[in-house]
Amino acid sequence: MVFSIEDIAISISTISICQKNESSKRSENVTLSAEVTGSTTDIIIVGAGVAGSALAYTRAKDGRRVHVIERDLTEPHRIVGELLQPGGYLKLIELGLEDCVNQIDAQQVFGYALYKDGEGTKVSYPLENFNSDVAGRSFHNGRVRLGQGSVTSLIEEEGIIKGVTYKTKTGQELTAYAPLTVVCDGCCSNLRRSLSKPKVEIPSCFVGLILENCELPYKNHGHVILADPSPILFYPISSTEVRCLVDVPGQKVPSTANGEMTNYLKTVVAPQIPRELCSAFMSAIEKGNIRTMTNKSMPAAPSPTPGALLLGDSFNMRHPLTGGGMTGFI
């Protein structure tokens, strides 16, 4: 997700916030603590994804001293967090952050197309009572510049979380303290086990490709193909690119190294996708830039701990096919 927060430094903290007023966009600087020791910070936020960035913006705007620590600041090549549902866009409006989806080639999404046995139909979001701008948004995830550090552990004293220990990009180990630590660093968070029951199930894996210069049969809609043995997804992530996610049951996908994956995509998946997408799909396979990720099912089972809380995918997660992530539908 892209937020107009230009520089949230790990130790020299000034946020450049692009904010909309009545007539124009203006830049507002919110200064955060320069040296995070003792309790000079109000909130530590671990992770600067959709949830972390929005939380940092709103808390800093309210005058809180916010310390954000993000593990990796390079634009990620990831296949999650690319579709913001209409409810998520409404939340951005509520927070004054609707500008975040502008100027990044984000695509409006008005619903889904469903395919089974070669036949398709369209299911639209119930948006009749909203302004015409209200819709889902799909985009490349991760175009944001922040300070970088990797949180290694929570600091606990007498059963209360007091802060975090983290390493900078150069390997320097530092500590940061605050009355509240918010952990929102995603489904692979290494801090989750300290704040929640660790039960995790892996029902399937996603295999991701990017199709270029092709048009979806139903414009501005996500596409779900009810294929055998499991669904295939398509949705636009820019004006020229379409994300394809192939759901593969189980915890292991065919090997890309020995050609099993290529064969699986060509012989099992390709015959089941709409013919309008076949050429672009086969071209994407030939390019070989295939990404994989596990789909996790993690129940919301927190172990209440004073001084810290979990937020977003680090708190709980359902299979992405439920559409329950990124603030649901509306």
Side-chain angles (χ1 to χ4, degrees):
M1 181 61 195
V2 179
F3 288 90
S4 301
I5 303 175
E6 295 300 325
D7 294 292
I8 303 181
I10 303 174
S11 55
I12 305 173
S13 304
T14 298
I15 302 181
S16 252
I17 302 166
C18 292
Q19 204 176 21
K20 185 183 288 183
N21 61 16
E22 294 179 358
S23 58
S24 64
K25 295 179 182 177
R26 59 184 175 85
S27 178
E28 175 184 329
N29 289 329
V30 180
T31 302
L32 307 180
S33 58
E35 189 69 30
V36 183
T37 57
S39 58
T40 59
T41 300
D42 295 312
I43 303 173
I44 295 170
I45 297 175
V46 182
V50 174
S53 296
L55 182 62
Y57 170 86
T58 54
R59 294 301 87 193
K61 185 180 176 183
D62 286 344
R64 309 288 184 182
R65 295 164 298 180
V66 182
H67 185 178
V68 180
I69 305 172
E70 165 60 31
R71 180 182 61 82
D72 189 354
L73 299 181
T74 58
E75 183 179 331
H77 297 288
R78 44 192 319 226
I79 58 177
V80 294
E82 294 177 323
L83 178 55
L84 184 73
Q85 303 289 357
Y89 182 68
L90 288 171
K91 285 299 179 183
L92 289 185
I93 295 174
E94 185 179 324
L95 296 172
L97 289 170
E98 63 269 32
D99 291 354
C100 297
V101 296
N102 296 336
Q103 299 179 357
I104 59 169
D105 202 18
Q107 303 298 298
Q108 287 188 314
V109 177
F110 296 109
Y112 291 88
L114 302 178
Y115 281 80
K116 183 176 175 62
D117 299 330
E119 297 184 3
T121 187
K122 183 173 68 173
V123 181
S124 298
Y125 295 128
L127 301 174
E128 296 82 3
N129 298 325
F130 297 92
N131 294 332
S132 59
D133 189 52
V134 175
R137 293 294 193 285
S138 51
F139 42 75
H140 277 283
N141 188 337
R143 291 173 180 169
V144 58
R145 290 184 291 131
L146 302 170
Q148 185 166 315
S150 182
V151 175
T152 55
S153 62
L154 299 170
I155 298 172
E156 182 177 343
E157 297 178 8
E158 298 180 353
I160 300 174
I161 301 300
K162 299 290 188 177
V164 300
T165 300
Y166 66 98
K167 287 185 177 180
T168 66
K169 189 176 182 180
T170 60
Q172 183 182 12
E173 188 170 279
L174 300 174
T175 57
Y177 294 88
L180 177 62
T181 297
V182 180
V183 176
C184 49
D185 54 346
C187 63
C188 294
S189 173
N190 66 336
L191 305 178
R192 185 176 189 268
R193 67 177 67 92
S194 300
L195 302 171
S196 178
K197 295 179 181 178
K199 182 180 180 181
V200 176
E201 295 179 358
I202 300 177
S204 66
C205 299
F206 265 157
V207 176
L209 306 94
I210 293 181
L211 281 59
E212 297 179 335
N213 299 311
C214 65
E215 292 188 7
L216 291 167
Y218 294 90
K219 188 176 181 180
N220 295 111
H221 282 68
H223 288 55
V224 181
I225 290 81
L226 301 177
D228 181 17
S230 55
I232 307 161
L233 308 182
F234 294 92
Y235 52 86
I237 55 174
S238 76
S239 56
T240 61
E241 298 164 300
V242 170
R243 166 69 70 200
C244 172
L245 294 178
V246 178
D247 190 70
V248 179
Q251 300 183 19
K252 189 176 181 181
V253 297
S255 171
T256 56
N258 62 13
E260 287 181 358
M261 177 65 75
T262 296
N263 182 65
Y264 179 82
L265 293 173
K266 287 182 176 180
T267 61
V268 177
V269 179
Q272 301 186 72
I273 67 174
R275 62 179 180 277
E276 298 95 325
L277 301 174
C278 279
S279 178
F281 182 78
M282 296 299 286
S283 294
I285 297 173
E286 293 300 329
K287 286 184 177 180
N289 188 18
I290 300 171
R291 311 287 297 183
T292 63
M293 61 162 280
T294 55
N295 290 319
K296 296 183 179 181
S297 177
M298 303 188 302
S303 302
T305 307
L309 59 85
L310 293 162
L311 184 68
D313 283 350
S314 58
F315 177 45
N316 73 325
M317 190 175 181
R318 296 172 294 279
H319 194 290
L321 278 171
T322 65
M326 296 180 75
T327 321
F329 293 137
I330 56 173

